[in-house]
Amino acid sequence: MNTLASTTPAAPAASAAPRAQARRGAPARWLALALETHISLPLFALCLLGAMWFGTLHVIEAERRAAAAAARDATHELLDTYEAQMARSLSNIDQTLRVLKYAVEQNGPAGALPALAAKGLLPPGLVFQVEITDSHGRVVASNPDVGPRDLAGASYFEFHRHSRHDQAYVSQAITHPGAAEPHLHFTRRIDDAAGRFAGVAVVAVDPAYFTSSYERSRQGERGLLGLVGNDGVVRALRVGEQVSWGQSYTPGPTDMVGLRACRIDGETRYTSSRPLGGFPLLAVAGLSESEQMARFRQQRRAWLLGAGAGSALLVAVVILVSAWSWQLAKARRRERQAHETYAAASEASPDAFFVLRSIMDPRGRVADFTIVTTNSRAEQLTGLGKEQLAGQRMSVMLPGAFSAGIFADLAAVALSGVTHETEWLARALPQGERWLYRQAVAVEGGVVVIVRDITERKLAEGRIRHLAHHDDLTGLPNRSLLRERLEQAIGAAASDGGAVGLAFIDLDGFKLVNDALGHNAGDALLKVVGARMARCLGAGDTLARFGGDEFVILLPALAGEPASIAPLLERVRQAVTEPVLVEGQEVQVSCSIGVTFYPRDGVDANALMMHADVAMYRAKELGNDNVQFYASEMNASIDEKLVLLEGLRDALDTCAADHAGPCQFELLYQPKVDLRTGRLFGVEALIRWRHPEQGQVSPERFIGLAEESGLIVPIGEWVLRTACAQSVAWRAAGLPPVSMSVNVSARQFEDKRLVERVADALRASGLPPEGLEVEVTESLIMRDLGRSVDKMRELKAMGVSLSIDDFGTGYSSLSALKSFPISRLKIDKSFVADLADRADDQAIALAVISLGHKLNLRVIAEGVETEQQRDFLRANDCDEMQGYLFSRPLPAQALARLLADSHGGAA
């Protein structure tokens, strides 16, 4: 018990001893570190720099205060001198005024000046101009003689006439009629014997006289000298060589020198002012701060340069000495750190390290390796501790390395000395199957092996490869992977004599869904349709998204006749046409499919893709929702389109203003008539193309091609300009004015410059905006309702009328229709054709007429060819019509005759 009691306290004491020793050793280590030259020398230099700059800045500040004090003293001295000069000058002027006043009282106004001249009391006329006025302000005497003059309106005359005090007055610089320069007028009141106002004694002085004492050697180029009235208006002011007067000037406190910016010229000066006794004036003097402090600033620059140069020299010396000291200290530490580097690096590294020593057999080959050491990451990888591995043979502890071929690679590195890197999939690990990277580096007597887990990188690479070859939206193979698989299938079919099928699929009506419901709905539809088509295919087939709403099916290793795949394609077509619920709304699309086969239709990927595309377009031309197998004659249709497109470009060139030949395009004009009165009130411009080789080309053949190629925009601009010019020509010929209607295609309406092009056409032709009507289709407006309405409103604001063509085919809602800034609805001819026989077409026509009238719109029916159609429309209050019943589209000359006849009949 006694032994236990005596030994128990020893344990805490023993454990506390190292901690106390560590605490005592810490200050010593910090002190030793601080005494290192590369640390202590910069600290000492920093203190020295601080002292140097503190002294420099202190001296600069002392010199600045001294320079400022000297400038203030100089300003005060200048004001003393100037005030004394002005006091003498003003006293002489005032004495002259008093003498004048006395002479008038003794000798009368006319004899005063001669009397003074006789006594030599008149001031010199070159500097001072003396005048005496009577009580009415007329000058009765002057020296030099200025002749008769009326000063009744002068400020000083008014002052003395209304003031009975004998008080001197100083005017602002005034230029009297007949005088060459402005003068300051010093005046006193003259009274007669009865004390009544009898006139004014005046001494006029050039303002420059009061600043003639300005000395550039003393006051510099920007000094200030002058007189300021108590009213704050400058009487005379000189800055350098410039004399001025009349400005507003607010002096500071009198007899106090202040540093402030002058509002007259913006110069900062030391200024002071002092009142001048006997006159309502202040003497003002000032010295430019920049000139007065120039010498100080030069000295300050010299001090700063000197201090900067000394600092730079000191810093350079300290850097050199510290760098040399640091290199020595680093060399001393390098040996100590070298022993710690391997352990720290290996433990902190995410890689597993194995240091292996070679065990050689008698024939000089590597028989095995001894594991010298490992790190913690190697423990986690193998599931064995470092103590278990150290000193053991590799064949005993890691037998899997022999079966996996790892030992052979390590032995080759140990013998050749060439570093080897590789990746492999390790399956027999405690963590399960992992991808590993191995780097083996030869060292003396063995190898160092670095092993890194790259499973995450491999998975990421797999995801990247998948993204690179698959569509992001549908997850289907993309164009790149399709081409790769197609080329592989062609190669396999070429070697075994098989066939390959390729189907190009384009969705019909997808753009309408995408435009009407938005891109999110379009994306959802593409995913559903893609999944449906994929379920129709076999395991070896490929469905790829080619782009947009286009898909491609690859059918490799086909056997039998090409027609054998028709049932599969029919299943695909039916799967596409099934309704799809998108964002709560049921939509339905169909597809057009073009099919080609290797080797029948092409022997390479490009040929097969091109021919499948041609077949798909043939399916489109045949009305969509069908399957077409490629045939060689389809290329003839493509070639015909290319030829027609080239001819369309040439035709557009022939209609250019600078082209010498005839224009291949022609406008025909179909009349529009009022159903009630039969009056021809407007025409619709219709383009026709006379090809130099093919003759008359139907608009159905070239309008769609122009729309696809974008040529419809310049063609439409030609139509617009030609139609406007023709309308103006009819008016100029004395024909009754009619409304000119011009159709605008989808590409034209989407053109950002549409409104500008319409304005240009009206301006170039001189047609008033109300004479033009722009027809747009209902489906065109519904593509982008908001933007379409904005553009229509711009045209409406211009004065152009708008009508909706083919109304009833675009599925616009009533809420959208009421926002359209239109004036006319046109009933589509598809509803007019069977109007006399079909009740549903009659119901649609009646609905459109009623709707148009409810919205205060005119309703016109197009394609009226029979009297029954006309009678039905007239009986049901349709406003207007156009069609073959009244007239076919006519050339401009024929239409002019029709206008003349209708005008004559009306007359």
Side-chain angles (χ1 to χ4, degrees):
M1 292 294 293
N2 293 338
T3 302
L4 181 61
S6 62
T7 58
T8 299
S15 63
R19 291 197 297 270
Q21 185 175 1
R23 285 195 298 271
R24 288 194 300 270
R29 287 196 300 274
W30 283 106
L31 180 61
L33 183 63
L35 291 177
E36 291 277 357
T37 303
H38 62 276
I39 294 177
S40 60
L41 183 60
L43 292 175
F44 173 74
L46 187 62
C47 295
L48 188 59
L49 282 174
M52 179 190 304
W53 279 98
F54 177 79
T56 300
L57 296 177
H58 179 73
V59 171
I60 290 173
E61 178 60 20
E63 289 190 355
R64 187 196 66 78
R65 287 196 297 267
R72 293 176 186 275
D73 292 342
T75 302
H76 202 278
E77 181 181 352
L78 174 64
L79 182 63
D80 288 344
T81 304
Y82 184 59
E83 186 266 340
Q85 293 173 349
M86 290 301 99
R88 288 194 300 271
S89 297
L90 293 175
S91 176
N92 291 336
I93 292 172
D94 192 42
Q95 183 64 33
T96 301
L97 288 172
R98 294 180 183 276
V99 169
L100 281 173
K101 181 178 178 181
Y102 177 76
V104 170
E105 292 173 352
Q106 295 297 318
N107 303 297
L113 294 185
L116 292 176
K119 297 177 181 180
L121 296 177
L122 277 179
L126 291 175
V127 179
F128 301 97
Q129 181 177 320
V130 178
E131 294 176 333
I132 298 173
T133 73
D134 61 14
S135 60
H136 299 290
R138 291 187 296 270
V139 176
V140 296
S142 61
N143 182 49
D145 187 10
V146 296
R149 197 162 52 174
D150 188 358
L151 302 180
S155 59
Y156 51 84
F157 184 85
E158 290 295 322
F159 173 80
H160 289 302
R161 185 168 64 178
H162 296 96
S163 175
R164 298 187 59 84
H165 302 288
D166 185 17
Q167 182 179 355
Y169 180 88
V170 182
S171 73
Q172 300 180 24
I174 301 173
T175 303
H176 282 307
E181 297 291 339
H183 286 74
L184 297 180
H185 292 74
F186 295 81
T187 61
R188 279 189 177 274
R189 174 185 171 111
I190 300 174
D191 293 328
D192 59 12
R196 293 187 302 270
F197 176 67
V200 178
V202 182
V203 176
V205 187
D206 187 340
Y209 169 78
F210 298 100
T211 59
S212 58
S213 61
Y214 188 95
E215 300 179 17
R216 293 175 59 187
S217 60
R218 180 181 180 187
Q219 294 165 243
E221 298 292 338
R222 302 297 298 167
L224 181 145
L225 207 62
L227 295 178
V228 179
N230 290 345
D231 55 0
V233 177
V234 173
R235 297 306 193 267
L237 185 73
R238 179 168 178 174
V239 175
E241 296 299 323
Q242 186 69 35
V243 178
S244 61
W245 50 83
Q247 306 96 321
S248 177
Y249 183 88
T250 305
T254 57
D255 278 337
M256 291 183 63
V257 178
L259 181 63
R260 60 198 184 101
C262 179
R263 289 197 304 175
I264 295 175
D265 60 357
E267 182 78 13
T268 301
R269 295 184 178 87
Y270 292 96
T271 59
S272 183
S273 62
R274 188 174 298 164
L276 296 170
F279 286 92
L281 296 173
L282 292 172
V284 179
L287 296 174
S288 171
E289 188 269 347
S290 59
E291 293 178 342
Q292 295 299 307
M293 301 296 285
R295 182 179 178 187
F296 156 71
R297 291 191 175 95
Q298 291 178 349
Q299 292 175 340
R300 180 181 63 181
R301 190 178 301 110
W303 277 103
L304 291 175
L305 288 174
S311 299
L313 179 61
L314 178 61
V315 169
V317 171
V318 169
I319 289 175
L320 290 175
V321 175
S322 298
W324 173 75
S325 172
W326 180 62
Q327 290 293 337
L328 291 179
K330 187 168 67 172
R332 290 194 299 269
R333 288 195 301 272
R334 191 176 296 123
E335 293 184 9
R336 181 177 69 254
Q337 292 173 349
H339 298 291
E340 303 171 356
T341 300
Y342 170 75
S346 63
E347 290 302 319
S349 173
D351 301 333
F353 285 83
F354 297 87
V355 180
L356 306 178
R357 186 172 63 246
S358 303
I359 299 176
M360 312 298 293
D361 64 9
R363 288 180 290 184
R365 294 180 299 185
V366 178
D368 203 347
F369 288 101
T370 300
I371 302 173
V372 179
T373 185
T374 60
N375 65 351
S376 299
R377 185 63 178 160
E379 290 183 334
Q380 299 173 12
L381 187 66
T382 61
L384 301 172
K386 288 190 289 187
E387 295 78 8
Q388 293 176 269
L389 294 172
Q392 300 297 320
R393 286 179 173 248
M394 181 177 175
S395 58
V396 175
M397 302 305 295
L398 302 173
F402 284 77
S403 60
I406 297 175
F407 172 77
D409 288 344
L410 300 183
V413 171
L415 292 175
S416 66
V418 178
T419 299
H420 180 71
E421 301 178 14
T422 189
E423 297 175 357
W424 85 102
L425 181 63
R427 293 184 171 86
L429 291 177
Q431 302 91 337
E433 189 174 273
R434 310 291 290 178
W435 274 98
L436 301 177
Y437 159 82
R438 179 177 72 247
Q439 182 182 42
V441 181
V443 295
E444 185 177 358
V447 294
V448 173
V449 183
I450 303 169
V451 180
R452 181 178 305 156
D453 188 341
I454 59 171
T455 305
E456 293 299 324
R457 193 194 81 193
K458 283 289 187 180
L459 293 176
E461 289 175 354
R463 288 193 295 269
I464 292 172
R465 281 195 299 273
H466 183 273
L467 291 174
H469 291 89
H470 290 77
D471 177 50
D472 187 45
L473 176 65
T474 62
L476 297 173
N478 61 10
R479 185 182 303 201
S480 173
L481 183 56
L482 170 69
R483 178 171 287 276
E484 181 181 321
R485 290 185 180 179
L486 177 57
E487 291 174 349
Q488 292 172 357
I490 291 173
S495 62
D496 60 19
V500 178
L502 193 72
F504 202 106
I505 304 171
D506 185 88
L507 300 184
D508 306 322
F510 172 77
K511 182 170 177 56
L512 182 61
V513 175
N514 203 46
D515 292 343
L517 300 181
H519 294 293
N520 291 336
D523 291 346
L525 177 62
L526 289 174
K527 288 192 284 187
V528 172
V529 171
R532 286 180 181 175
M533 288 191 288
R535 287 195 293 269
C536 299
L537 305 181
D541 303 333
T542 296
L543 173 65
R545 186 185 178 201
F546 199 70
D549 59 345
E550 297 174 335
F551 296 84
V552 176
I553 295 177
L554 172 63
L555 302 170
L558 290 180
E561 291 296 321
S564 63
I565 70 169
L568 182 147
L569 297 176
E570 180 61 22
R571 290 197 302 273
V572 170
R573 188 191 65 77
Q574 291 180 359
V576 171
T577 57
E578 293 178 7
V580 180
L581 190 64
V582 177
E583 295 187 355
Q585 184 168 342
E586 189 175 89
V587 298
Q588 187 173 17
V589 294
S590 60
C591 63
S592 300
I593 304 176
V595 188
T596 56
F597 295 93
Y598 168 87
R600 189 189 74 177
D601 301 326
V603 295
D604 58 47
N606 288 333
L608 290 176
M609 293 295 294
M610 181 177 66
H611 292 159
D613 190 45
V614 170
M616 185 273 291
Y617 273 104
R618 173 55 59 88
K620 288 278 189 186
E621 292 174 356
L622 295 177
N624 300 330
D625 194 21
N626 67 91
V627 180
Q628 291 294 314
F629 290 82
Y630 174 75
S632 57
E633 56 268 19
M634 291 181 182
N635 280 335
S637 175
I638 298 298
D639 293 340
E640 180 186 358
K641 289 179 67 175
L642 294 176
V643 170
L644 201 61
L645 182 61
E646 186 63 28
L648 202 56
R649 291 193 178 94
D650 293 340
L652 190 59
D653 291 339
T654 65
C655 297
D658 55 352
H659 194 271
C663 177
Q664 295 180 21
F665 290 136
E666 178 188 13
L667 287 188
L668 300 183
Y669 304 92
Q670 185 169 39
K672 297 180 179 181
V673 296
D674 189 299
L675 272 171
R676 296 181 183 86
T677 64
R679 183 179 64 87
L680 194 162
F681 69 88
V683 295
E684 179 179 359
L686 302 171
I687 189 170
R688 297 294 183 264
W689 178 20
R690 186 174 297 279
H691 195 281
E693 297 172 0
Q694 301 182 25
Q696 195 74 27
V697 181
S698 170
E700 286 75 13
R701 288 183 62 196
F702 72 86
I703 290 297
L705 187 61
E707 185 81 18
E708 292 176 14
S709 64
L711 290 176
I712 195 67
V713 174
I715 291 174
E717 185 173 6
W718 178 86
V719 170
L720 180 64
R721 288 179 174 272
T722 304
C724 290
Q726 183 60 62
S727 182
V728 172
W730 286 333
R731 295 183 183 210
L735 297 174
V738 292
S739 173
M740 177 64 71
S741 297
V742 177
N743 289 288
V744 174
S745 71
R747 291 290 288 269
Q748 282 180 272
F749 196 75
E750 292 168 356
D751 182 22
K752 294 180 179 180
R753 296 187 58 235
L754 172 65
V755 178
E756 181 183 343
R757 293 181 194 276
V758 172
D760 289 344
L762 292 173
R763 184 167 48 253
S765 64
L767 180 67
E770 58 271 14
L772 177 66
E773 181 179 72
V774 173
E775 293 190 11
V776 293
T777 62
E778 183 182 12
S779 57
L780 183 154
I781 298 172
M782 295 308 295
R783 289 188 180 192
D784 188 340
L785 182 60
R787 186 175 299 176
S788 297
V789 171
D790 290 342
K791 192 167 292 186
M792 292 167 70
R793 284 176 178 159
E794 288 187 60
L795 292 170
K796 188 73 173 179
M798 192 188 300
V800 176
S801 300
L802 292 122
S803 68
I804 294 184
D805 194 8
D806 302 338
F807 183 73
T809 64
Y811 311 108
S812 61
S813 65
L814 293 179
S815 61
L817 179 61
K818 70 181 183 180
S819 67
F820 296 164
I822 59 175
S823 57
R824 182 173 280 103
L825 291 180
K826 179 177 281 191
I827 303 175
D828 186 60
K829 60 186 176 182
S830 63
F831 300 130
V832 176
D834 298 320
L835 196 59
D837 306 318
R838 296 186 58 176
D840 51 354
D841 285 347
Q842 292 176 359
I844 292 175
L846 289 173
V848 173
I849 294 170
S850 176
L851 177 62
H853 289 168
K854 292 293 185 182
L855 295 175
N856 296 319
L857 303 176
R858 302 279 292 177
V859 180
I860 182 171
E862 66 175 345
V864 179
E865 299 180 357
T866 67
E867 294 182 358
Q868 292 86 348
Q869 296 168 350
R870 180 195 63 191
D871 294 341
F872 177 86
L873 293 168
R874 181 184 291 164
N876 289 281
D877 290 332
C878 183
D879 302 300
E880 302 156 359
M881 77 167 192
Q882 67 181 99
Y884 285 5
L885 179 62
F886 183 80
S887 174
R888 290 175 174 272
L890 300 173
Q893 298 84 349
L895 199 285
R897 289 193 294 271
L898 183 62
L899 279 173
D901 293 342
S902 65
H903 183 55

